[in-house]
Amino acid sequence: MMKRTILAMAILSMAVVLHAQKFGHVTSEQLLQAMPEYDSAQMKVQDLQSQYEGEIERIQVEINKKIEEFNQTEATMSDLIKEAKASEIQEMQMRLQNFSQTAQQDLQQQSMIMIQPVMDKARAAIDEVAKEHGLVYVFDLSQGNPIYFSEESLDLVPLVKAKLGL
């Protein structure tokens, strides 16, 4: 009898503790887009991308000129010169491909470097707001749609924006 009473009290106290837990949610994409630092970082990434695209275009124009020149003079070239010119064009195309791949990797890396401090700032503000409101969990709705979400879940986006002065 005593064991049942203790077990019942333990189950009841766990239910009270579970009921007292508070949950919140945030849409990090929405929050980041409201931050001026995010726009600034995105613009820097776009500028870098434009520089890379300009260089790729310049190299492609140079390759196209070489190909056109080759096609126009091919009939008058010796086999050795044809082979050398064709090899030169292939090397230029390989360099363009390598540059393009390296530029894409660098763009991704620079994007993370520039955006990470903004994400860290948003995360710190989310953590502060969650602690201030006694939340146990905060779910990011940008990461996927939850199966269920109650109106009792606290939307932190307006609170975090206020914390960030947005």
Side-chain angles (χ1 to χ4, degrees):
M1 182 70 166
M2 182 72 133
K3 287 182 182 179
R4 285 187 197 176
T5 304
I6 292 173
L7 182 61
M9 289 177 64
I11 290 173
L12 182 60
S13 66
M14 282 178 33
V16 169
V17 168
L18 288 175
H19 182 67
Q21 292 180 345
K22 292 171 63 178
F23 300 93
H25 63 274
V26 67
T27 308
S28 62
E29 287 177 18
Q30 179 185 6
L31 179 61
L32 288 173
Q33 290 173 357
M35 298 174 71
E37 303 96 316
Y38 183 77
D39 287 341
S40 175
Q42 288 291 85
M43 289 184 73
K44 288 177 184 175
V45 170
Q46 288 173 353
D47 286 347
L48 185 60
Q49 181 176 5
S50 293
Q51 289 176 23
Y52 287 149
E53 287 173 353
E55 183 62 13
I56 288 169
E57 187 176 316
R58 185 194 66 75
I59 295 169
Q60 187 60 58
V61 166
E62 189 178 325
I63 291 170
N64 291 343
K65 283 181 185 178
K66 290 280 186 186
I67 291 171
E68 187 178 319
E69 180 184 302
F70 177 82
N71 289 337
Q72 288 176 355
T73 59
E74 179 183 15
T76 62
M77 291 182 206
S78 69
D79 289 343
L80 184 61
I81 293 175
K82 280 183 195 176
E83 190 177 307
K85 295 282 185 183
S87 179
E88 179 184 358
I89 292 169
Q90 286 178 336
E91 286 176 21
M92 289 177 74
Q93 289 172 330
M94 296 265 301
R95 282 196 322 260
L96 175 61
Q97 185 176 3
N98 289 339
F99 177 79
S100 181
Q101 289 172 350
T102 303
Q104 185 63 34
Q105 291 169 351
D106 185 58
L107 193 61
Q108 289 173 345
Q109 182 181 17
Q110 292 301 318
S111 177
M112 285 307 300
I113 289 170
M114 291 180 203
I115 292 173
Q116 191 62 49
V118 181
M119 292 171 58
D120 291 344
K121 182 178 178 180
R123 176 60 190 256
I126 291 168
D127 290 350
E128 286 180 33
V129 169
K131 287 176 186 173
E132 289 170 4
H133 288 82
L135 302 179
V136 180
Y137 291 101
V138 175
F139 299 96
D140 186 354
L141 301 182
S142 298
Q143 302 300 319
N145 295 328
I147 295 172
Y148 171 77
F149 138 176
S150 169
E151 292 300 320
E152 293 176 23
S153 176
L154 182 60
D155 183 2
L156 300 187
V157 172
L159 300 170
V160 175
K161 282 182 178 178
K163 173 71 74 180
L164 293 171
L166 303 176

